[in-house]
Amino acid sequence: MALEKAIEALRRELGPQNVITTPEELICYSYDATADLPEGRPDVVVTPENTEQVVKVVKIARQFRLPVYPRGSGTNLSGGTVPLKGGIVLATVKMNRILEIDPANLTATVQPGVIIQELNNAVAPYGLIYPPDPGTVATATMGGSVAECSGGLRGLKYGVTRNYVMGLEVVLANGEVLRCGGKTVKNVTGYDLVRLFTGSEGTLGIITEIIVRLIPAPPARETMLAGFSCLADAGNAVTQIIEHKIIPATLEIMDRVTVEVVESYARIGLPTDVAALLLIEVDGLPEVVKAEAETVKKIVTQNNGWIKTAENEAQRENLLAARRAALPALARVKPTTILEDATVPRSKITDMLLALEEIAKKYNILIGTFGHAGDGNLHPTILADARDEEEMNRVRAAVEEIFRVAISLGGTLTGEHGIGLAKKRFLPWEMGETGVWVLKQIKKALDPDNLLNPGKIVDLTQEERN
Ligand SMILES: Cc1cc2nc3c(=O)[nH]c(=O)nc-3n(C[C@H](O)[C@H](O)[C@H](O)COP(=O)(O)OP(=O)(O)OC[C@H]3O[C@@H](n4cnc5c(N)ncnc54)[C@H](O)[C@@H]3O)c2cc1C
């Protein structure tokens, strides 16, 4: 009865065209891109068109004690949008306007439903780029990537989303609208709320407007493909490139399993007789690019590898497409694709690569590893079949071991995919009980009733709420 009243109120405030309740449509919002997690059916999905409507949704949710799950394109890999406890999914699909491009201040202001690539297309005529570049750049939203603090192929040189968010408008759990940060290059007023909400995974507030920093597009670049017949050589080349103080825009790795699968899927002429391939792109001023490319070539050769350069834009696109195809290609091998996000200090990349090989053998599972090797962020991808319970038990044990090893090497649980539902059980390993307690205090201060994306990052028990 209460639910019916809530849906009635939502229809009244947002218009019936912005309220979805048919069972077949609700199913589409019950999962995201993450494998091996429980699903949850929402009671209703809303598609607000502006901040005022988001405020109304939050107020109705409070009144009827319904959870609210903000959702962009649902491409996250941590179970971040699964509506575990029923309630309202708030999809930002209709808040998709670029509000301003400001070349004088090198900023853009967008609504959360804008697709990342659309922003890049819009700023290109000004000679500018928005660097965060996840594999889903053509589908993921700005709101989802800010809430997830996503990274991507250019993360090594340009950092993650956090490095580009300058200001936010956020609807809080009590229905108040907070504006923090802005267009100034410097801003040290109070606590850094922009950073707090960036990466908060929809658990502290609903982002309704975003000001981002843009940078000048680099005038030159060189894209190279290097091959190695020994995995450790590839890892050592990565470490030495950085040791030589070269920060490529892109320094990606694909191991043998990944290369074979990508080639049989995309047929782009990748050599399959290798233990690993590195995709390397240096960018900047032409003289710098030339000098850096020379050093990279020397390092690869010294580490027993071969290297060739993309000679035109078509060849470059081909190489980038090969890397972007890694996950979809691996996903075809077996029904269940579990993509992990283990991240270690860059000097430990070889140790992590070798450990992953050992873990695959020990648990007798198939792991394809690719990822942003230059920033230590690997994506070991386990190919399995969720219907085979015995295999899944081995997979789960392997996942635990991957994270134990990453942390023991001074690494982290996630370099870019967030904690969500998938990794919250591991949080104390990295943050300790005190760290988790601090997270809970923040959650309690901003969302004491646990209504915003409950079950993600930290849970507040009834006792903890009081
Ligand atoms: C093939 C593939 C490749 C990928 N490659 C990368 C990669 O290279 N790097 C990387 O970092 N990630 C990658 N991802 C993960 C994913 O694409 C990113 O995390 C992306 O930024 C999520 O955007 P989204 O719009 O799909 O968000 P969603 O999945 O819809 O949501 C993500 C989180 O943000 C919250 N949220 C969404 N909108 C809002 C809002 N307006 N306010 C508050 N909270 C909100 C949600 O509740 C959820 O917790 C990849 C995923 C796939 C499937």
Side-chain angles (χ1 to χ4, degrees):
M1 197 60 178
L3 179 64
E4 275 166 29
K5 282 196 171 147
I7 292 175
E8 212 179 283
L10 289 167
R11 287 208 178 100
R12 196 172 50 244
E13 297 292 356
L14 274 66
Q17 73 283 7
N18 289 324
V19 181
I20 298 166
T21 51
T22 57
E24 57 276 24
E25 284 182 288
L26 295 183
I27 289 173
C28 302
Y29 295 88
S30 62
Y31 57 90
D32 51 37
T34 327
D36 195 31
L37 284 181
E39 294 181 3
R41 187 86 53 88
D43 295 307
V44 52
V45 176
V46 294
T47 54
E49 295 175 21
N50 50 46
T51 304
E52 293 69 42
Q53 290 192 347
V54 173
V55 169
K56 283 177 178 153
V57 173
V58 170
K59 288 192 170 161
I60 292 167
R62 286 199 72 72
Q63 186 188 346
F64 293 95
R65 287 277 183 266
L66 290 172
V68 183
Y69 311 88
R71 181 179 171 110
S73 299
T75 68
N76 77 88
L77 293 162
S78 51
T81 47
V82 179
L84 261 192
K85 301 191 177 181
I88 306 172
V89 165
L90 186 155
T92 58
V93 60
K94 291 186 184 164
M95 295 176 72
N96 60 354
R97 282 188 306 131
I98 296 175
L99 300 171
E100 183 193 49
I101 295 170
D102 180 351
N105 281 308
L106 298 183
T107 62
T109 305
V110 300
Q111 290 187 316
V114 168
I115 302 296
I116 306 171
Q117 185 64 54
E118 284 170 3
L119 175 61
N120 258 311
N121 295 345
V123 302
Y126 298 88
L128 298 170
I129 59 169
Y130 171 69
D133 182 32
T136 42
V137 67
T139 44
T141 63
M142 290 295 292
S145 64
V146 170
E148 208 64 81
C149 194
S150 51
L153 269 65
R154 295 194 282 220
L156 168 59
K157 182 165 182 178
Y158 295 108
V160 294
T161 300
R162 170 191 297 137
N163 303 106
Y164 296 90
V165 184
M166 297 176 73
L168 291 174
E169 179 187 82
V170 183
V171 175
L172 301 173
N174 62 5
E176 298 286 327
V177 179
L178 165 81
R179 292 191 75 96
C180 49
K183 284 190 187 179
T184 59
V185 173
K186 293 176 175 175
N187 181 333
V188 295
T189 304
Y191 299 135
D192 192 341
L193 298 181
V194 175
R195 282 215 165 196
L196 177 64
F197 285 99
T198 304
S200 61
E201 302 185 25
T203 62
L204 300 180
I206 298 167
I207 297 164
T208 45
E209 207 174 290
I210 307 158
I211 301 174
V212 291
R213 184 164 77 89
L214 306 170
I215 63 167
R221 62 190 170 202
E222 188 164 330
T223 310
M224 294 159 276
L225 184 72
F228 300 83
S229 49
C230 164
L231 194 58
D233 285 340
N236 292 338
V238 170
T239 306
Q240 284 170 28
I241 290 170
I242 308 292
E243 264 172 8
H244 277 74
K245 303 183 182 57
I246 292 171
I247 309 293
T250 297
L251 180 39
E252 299 281 312
I253 193 164
M254 290 192 280
D255 74 352
R256 184 195 311 275
V257 175
T258 311
V259 173
E260 278 171 5
V261 172
V262 168
E263 185 49 27
S264 76
Y265 166 68
R267 303 232 174 269
I268 37 192
L270 291 179
T272 48
D273 55 343
V274 289
L277 288 178
L278 293 181
L279 170 67
I280 309 162
E281 183 168 286
V282 286
D283 69 2
L285 295 171
E287 325 63 284
V288 176
V289 167
K290 195 162 172 263
E292 289 191 343
E294 283 311 313
T295 311
V296 166
K297 285 172 194 163
K298 252 188 236 153
I299 292 170
V300 168
T301 318
Q302 280 160 7
N303 282 283
N304 314 312
W306 52 257
I307 187 156
K308 58 183 182 190
T309 302
E311 272 156 24
N312 50 44
E313 193 52 27
Q315 282 184 9
R316 171 179 182 265
E317 278 304 322
N318 218 18
L319 292 180
L320 292 181
R323 166 58 184 86
R324 288 191 202 282
L327 181 56
L330 287 166
R332 285 170 17 122
V333 176
K334 283 190 129 195
T336 311
T337 314
I338 297 159
L339 181 123
E340 288 305 349
D341 181 29
T343 305
V344 292
R346 324 187 240 225
S347 60
K348 300 286 183 198
I349 203 86
T350 306
D351 305 65
M352 193 66 212
L353 285 167
L354 296 176
L356 287 168
E357 273 197 337
E358 282 308 306
I359 291 170
K361 272 191 222 142
K362 178 172 168 187
Y363 293 97
N364 187 24
I365 52 173
L366 187 59
I367 305 185
T369 296
F370 62 94
H372 321 295
D375 50 41
N377 183 192
L378 293 174
H379 293 313
T381 302
I382 305 174
L383 309 174
D385 184 344
R387 293 164 299 188
D388 181 345
E389 197 46 37
E390 189 276 328
E391 182 184 41
M392 291 309 287
N393 286 337
R394 281 184 281 123
V395 167
R396 288 175 199 127
V399 167
E400 275 205 35
E401 190 156 336
I402 289 172
F403 288 110
R404 283 203 188 278
V405 173
I407 289 174
S408 74
L409 291 171
T412 175
L413 294 171
T414 166
E416 54 180 23
H417 292 168
I419 294 295
L421 194 56
K423 282 188 226 165
K424 65 179 183 179
R425 69 186 190 282
F426 304 142
L427 261 185
W429 298 357
E430 182 176 338
M431 302 194 74
E433 295 303 331
T434 310
V436 176
W437 179 83
V438 172
L439 294 186
K440 285 188 175 183
Q441 297 314 301
I442 295 171
K443 174 75 174 168
K444 191 170 155 180
L446 290 175
D447 180 22
D449 296 323
N450 209 20
L451 290 182
L452 289 180
N453 209 1
K456 318 300 157 52
I457 308 186
V458 282
D459 275 319
L460 287 183
T461 61
Q462 191 58 48
E463 270 173 12
E464 284 165 336
R465 280 186 235 167
N466 298 326

